[in-house]
Amino acid sequence: SSCSSSQPKIPLPQHQKITHTLPSSSPKKKHNTQHARQKKMSQPDSNRIQVSSQKSPKFYVNLSKRFLSSNQEVEISGLGSAISTAVAAAEILKQQGFATIKSIQTSSVKTPVSQNGDRQVGGGTKAKINIIVERSNQFLALHEKEQKEFEQRKREREAQETSQD
């Protein structure tokens, strides 16, 4: 029996709702989620990046550049321990000249309560940051230069591999 069903559900204020969902545990949905994630990363149609503390800022810098190539601005958001990664990624984009920081917003969000065996976990609050970065005036030139350098290194590697055969 669940003790939470007797308490009325109180809606959270709009600014405190958590916007992400956990992936489904069913294998079919997991495959679809992975496919959707790969599709989204190859053709970004969204301008929101939710940062994790599991990946490096460099990963999010590269992802942001890909998003900025098809969007004027990108929202980089981090929750809890991912805040420092989000800030680092935005700062690197700014320092390299790819973007300018348009706005920074911080808030607190309530974390949902969930069952972990016999005990409840979560139900606290976490800090959240939203950083809006805007494509800089020199973005297209810098991005094109970076792409040409990448292609050149790729050709050099292929030539090296061919000469070793």
Side-chain angles (χ1 to χ4, degrees), residues 74-93:
V74 172
E75 178 183 342
I76 302 170
S77 67
L79 191 63
S81 61
I83 289 174
S84 59
T85 306
V87 169
E91 188 61 27
I92 291 167
L93 286 166

Side-chain angles (χ1 to χ4, degrees), residues 126-142:
K126 281 192 172 187
K128 181 179 181 179
I129 193 163
N130 287 330
I131 305 168
I132 308 284
V133 295
E134 192 171 37
R135 189 188 317 171
S136 71
N137 293 337
Q138 62 263 42
F139 175 84
L140 294 174
L142 288 170

Side-chain angles (χ1 to χ4, degrees), residues 2-47:
S2 172
C3 61
S4 63
S5 62
S6 62
Q7 295 178 345
K9 292 193 177 202
I10 301 169
L12 295 173
Q14 187 64 34
H15 68 280
Q16 291 187 332
K17 287 188 179 176
I18 295 177
T19 58
H20 64 280
T21 55
L22 297 174
S24 170
S25 60
S26 78
K28 185 175 183 184
K29 291 204 183 246
K30 191 170 189 179
H31 173 72
N32 290 342
T33 303
Q34 287 173 338
H35 178 71
R37 189 177 297 132
Q38 287 171 346
K39 183 178 179 187
K40 186 172 185 176
M41 286 176 66
S42 65
Q43 295 180 328
D45 56 355
S46 168
N47 68 338

